Amino acid sequence: METVEMNSVSLKRPHSEDDVANADEIKRQKILEKSKTGNDSGQSIETVTEPPEDMKNEIIPNEESEEQEEEELEDSDEDGDPESFADMMKHGLTESDVGITKFVSSHKGFSGILKERYSDFVVHEIGKDGRVSHLDDFSVPVDDEVNFEDPSEETFTVLSDEDKQRLEELQLFKNKETSVAIEVIEDTKEKRTVIHQAVKSLFPGLETKTEDRDGKKYIIAYHAAGKKALANPRKHSWPKSRGSYCHFVLYKENKDTMDAINVLSKFLRVKPNIFSYMGTKDKRAITVQEIAVLRITAQRLAHLNKCLMNFKLGNFSYKNHPLKLGELQGNHFTVVLRNITGTDDQIEQAMHSLREIGFINYYGMQRFGTTAVPTYQIGRAILQNNWNEVMDLILKPRPGAEKGYLVKCREEWAKTKDPAAALKKLPVKRCVEGQLLRGLLKYGMKNIISAFGIIPRNNRLMYIHSYQSYVWNNMVSKRIEEYGLRAVPGDLILKGATAVHIEEGDVDNYTIHDVVMPLPGFDVIYPKHKIGEAYKEMLIADNLDINNMRHKIRDYSLSGAYRKIIIRPQNVSWEVVAYDDPKIPLFTTDLDKLEGKPLPVLPTDGKFRALKMEFSLPPSTYATMAIREVLKMDTSIKNQTQLNTTWLR
């Protein structure tokens, strides 16, 4: 999967005598901490609860993975004063709760603020050919043959808002009209051509003709071939010499990939499913990735640059194929940690260790939810076929940070066990709780399996994948505790797609970077040493049979996989920069370069120091875990908020 989430957080260590700054610095920190939002990403992280304008309602991106499944199922309301939020988060998870307990490096940890601004975290996608995606060209490719669909600038302004509304309703069969008539005010052939072009370009599936009515000329828009025309928009008008897919680079700020696709499809008046991409990128960051769209011209896409905020589209090309999830080689990260406290030696040691050794390939805290009911517990109940427990875990009252309407919904459910009554407490029905309640209304309380099936498949599978991640994290910690950072007989390595055990005589041929461990499932083997037995013991304790991970419902049968124990980032570089103003950018983005914006001149001896680091990671790995290794900090929201409020006192 390709999405890992982390809110903006400050990564701060608890006070020690060597960490405490002078009184002015402490005062400045108190002010800073009142202007940020916290969530999850470093050990002693200062989660700030009242974010500045450019940070509100944002989620940091993390990394990328080959499936699109890890959607945030449960929102939490983080408004309010720091102490009240910290009090609610006393019921949240810490890293140790999900098996994240070890580090591989020996340097001393230090503090820093991660994602003080979303522009401090930039992700560039790496394609399967190893090419890093950059937005560096706004030009539109020119075809050998002229196509009627390529619109002029006037195309986008010739129709009134009322005309567009009527045409959209006609296009989507939302009314009983069979056609829409648009009067030609300036009756010239050129004007009529532009209107014809505008209708056909902006509303796929519609055709046009010119008619005289009472001495006036009208453009009549109508459906070319019923609903099929909308599904396959005007196939005949696309030049044969042009690839069917327009590929482009999407640069986005503070938007996740699905939100971006939904916005683009709305403005283009097409269905979101004609877009394809290699991996999802999360919200709170600047991200650059390749997108492909079926039979939409580069010119139409380029026009959106004038209409949309937080997006830029460029580097257009036509190809004969869409993109597929998981085709990417990974992602390149540019991360700024502001207000760092580490000495130059500590920073050098930390970054050298990251480059030479790497970090433990844990699943990050984002994988397990933010409330008092971790997602892995629900996944375990699904695998146990305990559907009453699944329903109870999702709907019962829970301590911790939640939106008020969810609290009322849970209270109603606990009191009445009436799906209709509980559903009435939810203004937003698309949340998991609302979907399950709708399912219970439809199928009844005795058919929880079908009711649960109303929840989108990716969200349902996220629960059992969370349980797999929970097991893997615990097992990899045991493996490192037991055998350290070396390959040992009985470990697993991959040969092609097949896992094999390291034999006694071959152990010197491998390093810890070759070793993999299984995610539990019906098609994997386990290490031939103590950790293999530990897997079995853990699943037995959870009333699961490691030798029978097939579920009677096929969707919930766990197919296993293998995951490297240690990830060594590629292309690692870093520098320490000084700055005075926390609001200024500390490097230029692709868009800055295109627009010719210079990097602010930084002082040689500023008030604050920042660590700018760059590194590349493969899919399905968590940048938060790499940063955790550098700072030596717990990335849980619970730890962040508790430390933050202690600091504020």
Side-chain angles (χ1 to χ4, degrees):
M1 119 139 241
E2 179 116 283
T3 135
V4 199
E5 294 189 5
M6 173 176 73
N7 286 357
S8 134
V9 290
S10 307
L11 310 178
K12 283 200 164 289
R13 301 191 63 78
H15 287 319
S16 70
E17 291 181 352
D18 356 43
D19 287 333
V20 178
N22 59 40
D24 288 341
E25 172 65 5
I26 292 173
K27 184 176 180 181
R28 189 195 73 82
Q29 285 297 340
K30 290 183 178 180
I31 295 170
L32 267 182
E33 288 165 358
K34 292 176 182 176
S35 66
K36 295 180 215 67
T37 307
N39 179 337
D40 88 69
S41 133
Q43 180 182 0
S44 85
I45 299 173
E46 77 198 44
T47 21
V48 202
T49 51
E50 188 54 39
E53 284 306 310
D54 74 331
M55 292 174 54
K56 288 186 178 176
N57 304 320
E58 295 167 354
I59 294 176
I60 245 186
N62 5 32
E63 10 296 301
E64 316 304 325
S65 53
E66 42 294 22
E67 307 160 34
Q68 175 198 352
E69 85 201 23
E70 192 166 323
E71 298 179 15
E72 189 176 11
L73 294 187
E74 304 176 36
D75 296 319
S76 63
D77 188 350
E78 298 179 14
D79 295 335
D81 67 85
E83 294 199 26
S84 63
F85 179 65
D87 189 57
M88 289 189 290
M89 287 312 302
K90 287 176 182 176
H91 307 282
L93 296 171
T94 64
E95 285 187 344
S96 60
D97 293 329
V98 294
I100 302 173
T101 59
K102 302 296 181 183
F103 294 97
V104 298
S105 54
S106 58
H107 71 274
K108 182 180 178 182
F110 54 92
S111 300
I113 302 174
L114 173 61
K115 295 295 294 174
E116 183 164 5
R117 301 171 63 81
Y118 67 74
S119 54
D120 286 347
F121 200 103
V122 178
V123 186
H124 287 88
E125 190 171 71
I126 306 172
K128 60 182 178 181
D129 59 357
R131 182 179 55 84
V132 179
S133 292
H134 282 281
L135 181 76
D136 53 22
D137 184 5
F138 284 141
S139 65
V140 173
V142 179
D143 282 333
D144 292 335
E145 52 182 299
V146 178
N147 177 32
F148 186 66
E149 186 169 338
D150 290 337
S152 66
E153 280 301 306
E154 193 178 0
T155 297
F156 300 98
T157 57
V158 69
L159 298 173
S160 68
D161 290 341
E162 183 183 354
D163 289 337
K164 290 177 182 177
Q165 179 68 29
R166 293 167 61 214
L167 288 165
E168 182 172 3
E169 290 173 353
L170 175 67
Q171 179 199 38
L172 299 177
F173 297 91
K174 287 187 175 179
N175 55 31
K176 295 181 180 179
E177 289 185 70
T178 57
S179 65
V180 167
I182 300 168
E183 184 179 356
V184 183
I185 305 299
E186 303 170 27
D187 184 17
T188 64
K189 184 176 180 180
E190 291 76 15
K191 191 68 172 182
R192 293 197 303 273
T193 298
V194 170
I195 297 175
H196 282 291
Q197 188 182 42
V199 174
K200 291 184 176 184
S201 295
L202 300 178
F203 299 93
L206 298 185
E207 289 293 345
T208 57
K209 59 185 177 181
T210 304
E211 283 187 4
D212 284 310
R213 294 183 179 179
D214 300 324
K216 296 180 180 178
K217 283 244 181 349
Y218 289 85
I219 305 296
I220 309 300
Y222 61 96
H223 275 286
K227 293 188 179 182
K228 288 184 180 179
L230 182 59
N232 191 9
R234 294 172 43 248
K235 187 174 180 179
H236 61 276
S237 69
W238 195 265
K240 292 180 181 179
S241 63
R242 176 194 287 170
S244 294
Y245 295 87
C246 185
H247 287 231
F248 62 95
V249 168
L250 172 66
Y251 170 104
K252 63 181 181 63
E253 299 179 352
N254 198 29
K255 290 281 183 186
D256 67 35
T257 300
M258 283 312 303
D259 282 344
I261 295 298
N262 288 333
V263 169
L264 295 178
S265 61
K266 178 181 178 182
F267 274 79
L268 293 167
R269 295 181 173 85
V270 296
K271 294 181 177 179
N273 62 7
I274 71 170
F275 291 87
S276 58
Y277 43 87
M278 295 183 287
T280 58
K281 307 288 183 283
D282 291 308
K283 182 175 181 180
R284 186 170 169 72
I286 292 174
T287 69
V288 183
Q289 69 184 116
E290 188 173 350
I291 306 286
V293 60
L294 176 64
R295 296 182 185 274
I296 298 292
T297 65
Q299 190 165 351
R300 285 184 67 189
L301 293 167
H303 178 75
L304 297 179
N305 287 331
K306 299 180 180 180
C307 310
L308 300 175
M309 296 190 59
N310 302 324
F311 302 119
K312 289 295 178 184
L313 288 62
N315 296 79
F316 303 102
S317 63
Y318 292 107
K319 299 181 182 179
N320 288 317
H321 59 85
L323 295 169
K324 294 180 181 178
L325 280 170
E327 281 186 328
L328 74 170
Q329 196 177 103
N331 297 277
H332 185 75
F333 297 86
T334 304
V335 178
V336 168
L337 299 175
R338 293 183 184 247
N339 196 28
I340 55 171
T341 63
T343 65
D344 289 344
D345 282 347
Q346 286 173 334
I347 293 165
E348 287 296 305
Q349 289 175 32
M351 294 307 298
H352 275 288
S353 176
L354 183 66
R355 184 174 63 189
E356 303 303 323
I357 301 175
F359 62 96
I360 303 171
N361 194 19
Y362 286 123
Y363 287 95
M365 296 301 294
Q366 310 89 298
R367 189 84 165 181
F368 306 104
T370 58
T371 68
V373 178
T375 51
Y376 75 80
Q377 290 184 4
I378 299 170
R380 179 169 55 201
I382 293 169
L383 295 171
Q384 293 168 340
N385 210 30
N386 187 346
W387 293 100
N388 283 311
E389 176 78 356
V390 171
M391 178 178 68
D392 192 42
L393 286 170
I394 293 175
L395 295 178
K396 71 179 180 181
R398 58 181 69 171
E402 286 216 295
K403 295 183 185 294
Y405 59 76
L406 274 174
V407 173
K408 292 176 182 175
C409 170
R410 296 188 194 288
E411 289 172 348
E412 183 66 33
W413 173 257
K415 184 169 61 176
T416 65
K417 289 294 189 288
D418 181 348
L423 198 58
K424 285 180 182 176
K425 303 292 184 180
L426 286 179
V428 180
K429 306 292 194 288
R430 290 166 61 186
C431 60
V432 169
E433 293 81 2
Q435 290 163 336
L436 178 56
L437 289 168
R438 286 208 319 269
L440 292 170
L441 267 178
K442 182 175 181 179
Y443 295 106
M445 296 286 287
K446 293 184 179 180
N447 196 350
I448 301 171
I449 295 175
S450 295
F452 182 73
I454 280 187
I455 297 170
R457 182 175 183 271
N458 282 351
N459 288 14
R460 287 182 278 123
L461 296 187
M462 193 214 73
Y463 289 123
I464 60 173
H465 293 159
S466 176
Y467 178 74
Q468 277 186 313
S469 305
Y470 171 71
V471 173
W472 197 91
N473 279 1
N474 278 278
M475 292 299 100
V476 80
S477 290
K478 284 182 180 294
R479 161 63 182 75
I480 289 173
E481 181 176 351
E482 189 70 32
Y483 299 112
L485 296 179
R486 60 191 177 92
V488 299
D491 273 339
L492 293 168
I493 57 165
L494 288 178
K495 292 192 173 178
T498 305
V500 298
H501 294 101
I502 299 178
E503 301 298 334
E504 184 78 43
D506 293 333
V507 70
D508 291 339
N509 297 327
Y510 302 103
T511 71
I512 192 65
H513 296 100
D514 300 310
V515 178
V516 299
M517 284 181 47
L519 290 156
F522 58 76
D523 55 356
V524 297
I525 61 173
Y526 294 87
K528 282 184 179 177
H529 48 52
K530 291 181 181 179
I531 307 307
E533 291 303 312
Y535 270 98
K536 295 176 185 176
E537 292 167 6
M538 186 171 183
L539 267 70
I540 287 170
D542 286 340
N543 295 315
L544 294 170
D545 181 357
I546 201 168
N547 297 313
N548 183 18
M549 300 302 289
R550 294 187 185 275
H551 198 281
K552 67 178 185 179
I553 300 170
R554 185 176 177 182
D555 262 1
Y556 309 135
S557 289
L558 269 189
S559 61
Y562 298 97
R563 182 176 176 88
K564 285 201 168 187
I565 289 181
I566 302 292
I567 291 293
R568 184 160 46 191
Q570 301 299 303
N571 308 310
V572 178
S573 64
W574 66 92
E575 65 174 321
V576 176
V577 296
Y579 66 102
D580 288 319
D581 184 352
K583 295 181 180 179
I584 63 170
L586 299 181
F587 60 90
T588 52
T589 65
D590 287 359
L591 186 58
D592 292 334
K593 293 171 186 174
L594 272 170
E595 295 179 345
K597 290 183 181 177
L599 184 67
V601 177
L602 299 175
T604 54
D605 187 22
K607 295 180 192 174
F608 318 118
R609 295 157 69 237
L611 172 59
K612 175 188 170 185
M613 64 174 78
E614 295 195 43
F615 52 87
S616 300
L617 295 178
S620 196
T621 54
Y622 287 65
T624 53
M625 293 294 100
I627 295 165
R628 168 188 182 267
E629 185 69 42
V630 169
L631 296 173
K632 291 288 188 73
M633 293 188 160
D634 182 328
T635 62
S636 67
I637 304 175
K638 178 177 181 177
N639 193 56
Q640 297 164 28
T641 51
Q642 297 301 322
L643 288 164
N644 183 52
T645 52
T646 300
W647 177 256
L648 286 175
R649 292 191 189 102

